[in-house]
Amino acid sequence: MPRHRAPASAFHDPSWDGPALAGVDEAGRGPLAGPVVVAAVVLDPARRIDGLCDSKRLTEAAREALFPEIQARARAFAIVAVEAEEIDRLNILRATLEGMRRAVAMLAPAPERVLVDGNRLPPGLPLPAEAVVKGDARVAAISAASILAKVARDRRMREAEALHPGYGFALHKGYPTPAHLEALQRLGPCPLHRRSFAPVRECCRPGLFEA
């Protein structure tokens, strides 16, 4: 059966200019539970990947199909999960930026420059970097990183369903849907929940549930 993918020409892709550029993106800044996952990818111009685009524009089946292809064809990639406990300690922005720094540091061979999706750069990068607004729809390497991060995080949350039943993690992936908020009120937070996020913090008030 054909894969449901966006056309290869869907965005400008300067990352095909050479193998020295890393694209970086994250998945999971908004959920109430689970990690924020960051990926960094250095593409290989000699091994193009059809159908890269913003991961949010792809079906789940298309993302899953692209996931191993990106890993097989990329010159280098890294995936980093920053868990809820560290998110609560640092705050979500700092945790995301730290995950980006770690992912770039794990790349081997190391890139010569980095393009990061969004408008903020992680501190401490030892090489030239640029923030690219809507980069996951404009730069192939960032698009590839967005797909790796999204698929890796969704898989983690599907696994969480078996470990922490009743919350519906496999469906909403930790995002604050009505069903998730209802389960949070009924069951209280589990170890995956981010205590620093307001809806979870409210459920952690003394006398309601064991935190």
Side-chain angles (χ1 to χ4, degrees), residues 1 3 25 29 33 35 64 72 75 97 101 152 160 193:
M1 294 182 63
R3 299 183 194 177
D25 203 2
R29 284 183 62 175
E64 286 283 350
R75 190 164 182 258
L97 295 176
R101 186 196 66 77
H193 280 100

Side-chain angles (χ1 to χ4, degrees), residues 25-39 79-88 90-100 102 149-150 152-154 156-157 173 175 192 194 197:
D25 203 2
E26 53 76 25
R29 284 183 62 175
L32 305 179
V36 60
V37 176
V38 177
I79 302 173
V80 170
V82 183
E83 305 296 340
E85 182 180 359
E86 189 167 7
I87 292 170
D88 289 337
L90 295 178
N91 76 46
I92 185 59
L93 175 59
R94 289 176 59 198
T96 301
L97 295 176
E98 172 59 16
M100 290 177 171
R102 292 174 189 172
K150 173 66 173 168
R153 188 180 191 281
D154 283 357
R156 280 284 303 272
M157 297 312 292
K173 310 301 191 297
Y175 282 89
L192 293 181
R194 303 171 182 179
F197 281 43

Side-chain angles (χ1 to χ4, degrees), residues 11-74:
F11 56 89
H12 175 57
D13 57 356
S15 51
W16 293 126
D17 291 347
L21 172 70
V24 181
D25 203 2
E26 53 76 25
R29 284 183 62 175
L32 305 179
V36 60
V37 176
V38 177
V41 177
V42 180
L43 292 174
D44 184 345
R47 307 185 72 192
R48 287 178 176 257
I49 302 166
D50 245 359
L52 292 177
C53 71
D54 176 3
S55 64
K56 296 183 289 295
R57 294 177 54 196
L58 296 170
T59 65
E60 181 177 345
R63 290 193 298 266
E64 286 283 350
L66 280 164
F67 187 84
E69 189 172 346
I70 293 167
Q71 292 179 313
R73 291 176 174 263

Side-chain angles (χ1 to χ4, degrees), residues 64 82 109 114 151 159 171 195:
E64 286 283 350
V82 183
V114 177
V151 172
E159 293 168 0
L171 293 176
R195 264 62 174 175

